[in-house]
Amino acid sequence: MKTLKTCLVILIAFAIGCSKTENVAPPAPVAPTFGDFAIPSKEFGDPAFKITAPKSTSDGAITYTSSNTKVATVSGETITVKSSGASVITAHQAATKAFLADSVKTTFTVGLSSPTLTDFTIADKKIGDAVFTLVNPKSKSTGAFTFKTNNPAVATVSGNKVTIVGAGRASIVAVQAATVNFKTDSITANFTVTGLKPTLGALTLPAKKVGDPTFIITNPTSNSTGLFTYKSSNTAVAYVTGNMVTIKAAGTTIITAIQRATATYSADSTKATLTVTARPIAPNLYSFVLPDKRVGDAPFTITAPGSTSAGAFTYASSNTGVAAISGNIITIKAKGQTTITATQAANGNYTSGSITAVLTVEDRALTGTVTDVDGNVYKTITIGTQTWMIENLKVTHYNDGTAIPNVTEDNTWKGLTTGAYCNYKNDASIAATYGKLYNWYAVTNTKKLAPKGFHIPTDAEWTTLYNYLGGDREDGKKIQEQGTAHWSANTGATNSTLFTALPGGGRIFDSFQGVFASLTYDAYFWSTTANGASNAWYMDLYVKGYFERHDSPKYYGYSVRCIKD
């Protein structure tokens, strides 16, 4: 308890002591410290902008003043540019309790502005146009304009007046002087001055012939003094060097006289036609040779004769029955001779000319023989890609030696479904010339009717021959024997293939003709190709040269021709 009382007494005594006031003096204010103070330079015409306040250790308010209000004014912290020049901008900072009032300065510079020149153009002119006045370019500056030319030979300038003095290209430069606020600047306008059109007289050229000497062109008359040059549109006829013309060949060419521009006159030209005629020179034709040919040879190309001329050749045959010509291709038609004429067209310095050669066409060459099992020998011929017997078959045995039945009785023959042969009207003397007649069953017998190495043609193989002949029924004349020794009439057969078809007739059971019919009128040849169960295909060559495909019953008796395997 005593300790507590002692503490209270001490606390009360401290509180009374602390309540007494003491008089202490505050510290004196000091000058502030400023950081960098700078204002960027501007050009006349730049917009107003805000000042960036200088850094300071004081927080006193800052105001600004301009030493040259003609250059720049200050409102608050915004500077407005008035003119080019320089002004000192002062930043004033007010005093505070701790800092004295103070200021800092910087120089603000306003430079000259570009005047921005536009709209300065000059229209093209021509010789003789009047003096014209230049219109000042548009500009933000009020500086005075002066003008100068870069080509006084075309246009001269006095003040703002331009005088045309010659043809050509010129440039006028407009120069604007500097002012208080704007720099000097310039702008250029380009224009063209065309000369007067000269009055050109006619260009006269004499007619020439191939072989004439070089000649000089006489300049056309002109009121211009411009130099003349010349050119030829067809240098194969004549070419020009300077004003000298050299003749090359017959024909026409356009000679153009071109007069160059002068200070007063523009360029211009005039034309004339130079005609060069050929002197009558016959070409020298030589080496026109045609090889001998045979019937059935492939069409061939004519080798053109040699010639001193380059003219085109055309060809003609005096006997188109022996050989026909299309362009420069000769097609063999038949045995004989024909004169082939090569005609060369006129060209350049040469007249037309011709040369002839004789083409000889021989019969086809027989290619060999073939012998059947009975010893009969048959001649053969190659026609296109096929090799054929040129005689009707006479064999009476199959290749294995088996005899082929000779059936003479008509009803027995008609009822057969196996191989058989007969003679026309059962007369062996007729068969000796025209060959035997066979039914289709003999033709297709597996023991084989044809000589070894040969076979009876199919329908397709007959079609190959038909197409080789020309693909028309009247082309049968090319395989028909000529004359009337075996045919009842001669209607234009050529036998150009040497097939030598003989009209052996047939055993045909036709109620209109009888059983044996058409000897000397028709050559019937079997194919091995059936047309259904009862019939088969065969070829019929009629006396008029008609070669046709038909079908008939298999028991009919027809001639047989064999083709090489």
Side-chain angles (χ1 to χ4, degrees):
M1 181 62 75
K2 182 179 181 180
T3 302
L4 178 60
K5 287 180 179 180
T6 302
C7 289
L8 286 173
V9 171
I10 293 171
L11 286 172
I12 292 170
F14 177 77
I16 293 173
C18 289
S19 66
K20 294 181 179 181
T21 301
E22 295 183 2
N23 294 321
V24 180
V30 297
T33 301
F34 290 103
D36 293 336
F37 180 40
I39 299 174
S41 297
K42 297 291 182 179
E43 286 187 353
F44 175 76
D46 284 350
F49 63 95
K50 286 187 176 183
I51 301 170
T52 300
K55 291 183 179 180
S56 173
T57 53
S58 171
D59 60 356
I62 296 176
T63 57
Y64 303 93
T65 58
S66 169
S67 67
N68 188 349
T69 56
K70 291 182 179 180
V71 172
T73 61
V74 181
S75 176
E77 57 184 11
T78 299
I79 294 181
T80 300
V81 174
K82 292 295 187 178
S83 178
S84 63
S87 175
V88 175
I89 304 299
T90 302
H92 304 274
Q93 189 169 38
T96 64
K97 289 180 179 181
F99 293 93
L100 299 172
D102 204 352
S103 64
V104 65
K105 298 180 179 181
T106 187
T107 299
F108 171 52
T109 302
V110 178
L112 298 179
S113 178
S114 175
T116 309
L117 303 181
T118 60
D119 296 346
F120 184 49
T121 59
I122 301 173
D124 288 343
K125 303 292 181 179
K126 61 180 182 295
I127 295 291
D129 282 354
V131 174
F132 62 95
T133 302
L134 294 170
V135 177
N136 290 343
K138 290 183 179 179
S139 174
K140 295 186 290 184
S141 171
T142 58
F145 278 100
T146 57
F147 301 93
K148 60 183 180 180
T149 178
N150 74 333
N151 191 350
V154 173
T156 60
V157 181
S158 177
N160 64 348
K161 304 293 185 182
V162 179
T163 301
I164 302 301
V165 294
R169 186 79 171 164
S171 299
I172 302 297
V173 181
V175 182
Q176 188 173 35
T179 64
V180 172
N181 292 316
F182 289 94
K183 304 172 186 177
T184 186
D185 204 356
S186 65
I187 187 171
T188 300
N190 300 312
F191 66 103
T192 299
V193 178
T194 55
L196 297 174
K197 182 177 177 62
T199 303
L200 296 180
L203 175 63
T204 303
L205 300 171
K208 294 291 179 178
K209 289 184 178 180
V210 174
D212 282 353
T214 298
F215 69 95
I216 297 174
I217 301 173
T218 300
N219 290 342
T221 60
S222 175
N223 55 354
S224 170
T225 58
L227 179 68
F228 277 100
T229 58
Y230 298 90
K231 65 180 182 180
S232 168
S233 66
N234 187 351
T235 54
V237 172
Y239 66 89
V240 184
T241 304
N243 62 348
M244 304 286 289
V245 180
T246 301
I247 303 301
K248 297 294 291 180
T252 60
T253 181
I254 304 298
I255 302 297
T256 303
I258 305 164
Q259 189 172 36
R260 293 179 182 174
T262 65
T264 304
Y265 291 94
S266 60
D268 204 356
S269 64
T270 184
K271 299 178 180 180
T273 299
L274 173 63
T275 301
V276 180
T277 56
R279 294 182 185 275
I281 304 172
N284 178 24
L285 301 176
Y286 56 92
S287 299
F288 186 40
V289 179
L290 298 171
D292 291 341
K293 294 289 179 178
R294 290 186 179 274
V295 174
D297 283 352
F300 67 98
T301 301
I302 300 171
T303 299
S307 176
T308 52
S309 170
F313 279 100
T314 56
Y315 302 93
S317 170
S318 65
N319 187 347
T320 55
V322 172
I325 300 178
S326 176
N328 63 343
I329 305 297
I330 294 182
T331 300
I332 303 302
K333 295 291 187 179
K335 176 183 177 181
Q337 285 189 329
T338 180
T339 299
I340 305 299
T341 301
T343 302
Q344 188 172 36
N347 177 266
N349 306 334
Y350 293 94
T351 61
S352 63
S354 63
I355 188 173
T356 61
V358 174
L359 173 64
T360 300
V361 180
E362 301 290 349
D363 271 335
R364 286 180 182 271
L366 297 178
T367 55
T369 60
V370 62
T371 304
D372 66 23
V373 69
D374 290 341
N376 298 307
V377 179
Y378 306 90
K379 295 177 181 179
T380 62
I381 187 71
T382 297
I383 305 173
T385 60
Q386 299 171 315
T387 298
W388 294 83
M389 286 170 31
I390 64 172
E391 303 172 57
N392 293 351
L393 192 66
K394 301 174 183 178
V395 72
T396 59
H397 293 82
Y398 292 116
N399 277 352
D400 67 351
T402 301
I404 305 169
N406 178 12
V407 177
T408 59
E409 201 278 320
D410 291 339
N411 287 332
T412 302
W413 178 280
K414 187 176 181 180
L416 291 172
T417 58
T418 57
Y421 81 91
C422 67
N423 300 317
Y424 189 87
K425 289 189 176 181
N426 296 314
D427 186 340
S429 65
I430 296 176
T433 299
Y434 294 96
K436 308 293 186 183
L437 301 178
Y438 301 88
N439 65 12
W440 189 78
Y441 303 107
V443 166
T444 58
N445 193 287
T446 57
K447 297 178 180 180
K448 296 186 178 180
L449 186 65
K452 289 183 178 180
F454 280 69
H455 61 274
I456 316 302
T458 64
D459 180 58
E461 287 174 316
W462 278 115
T463 300
T464 297
L465 176 63
Y466 182 86
N467 290 334
Y468 178 83
L469 298 178
D472 187 89
R473 72 168 188 160
E474 295 188 6
D475 291 324
K477 294 180 176 65
K478 298 176 183 178
I479 63 171
Q480 184 179 7
E481 182 193 51
Q482 291 179 295
T484 56
H486 301 109
W487 288 87
S488 61
N490 183 3
T491 57
T494 66
N495 196 30
S496 61
T497 63
L498 297 187
F499 185 87
T500 316
L502 296 180
R507 195 173 193 174
I508 58 178
F509 297 91
D510 186 333
S511 60
F512 296 99
Q513 301 184 67
V515 174
F516 290 101
S518 297
L519 185 71
T520 75
Y521 285 92
D522 288 274
Y524 302 118
F525 297 113
W526 274 122
S527 82
T528 59
T529 305
N531 185 26
S534 302
N535 286 14
W537 293 107
Y538 71 95
M539 298 299 293
D540 175 17
L541 177 62
Y542 183 52
V543 66
K544 290 185 177 182
Y546 300 158
F547 193 36
E548 298 176 332
R549 172 179 178 261
H550 299 286
D551 71 329
S552 68
K554 296 177 180 178
Y555 58 80
Y556 276 27
Y558 292 148
S559 299
V560 168
R561 281 291 177 97
C562 299
I563 187 172
K564 191 173 183 179
D565 293 345

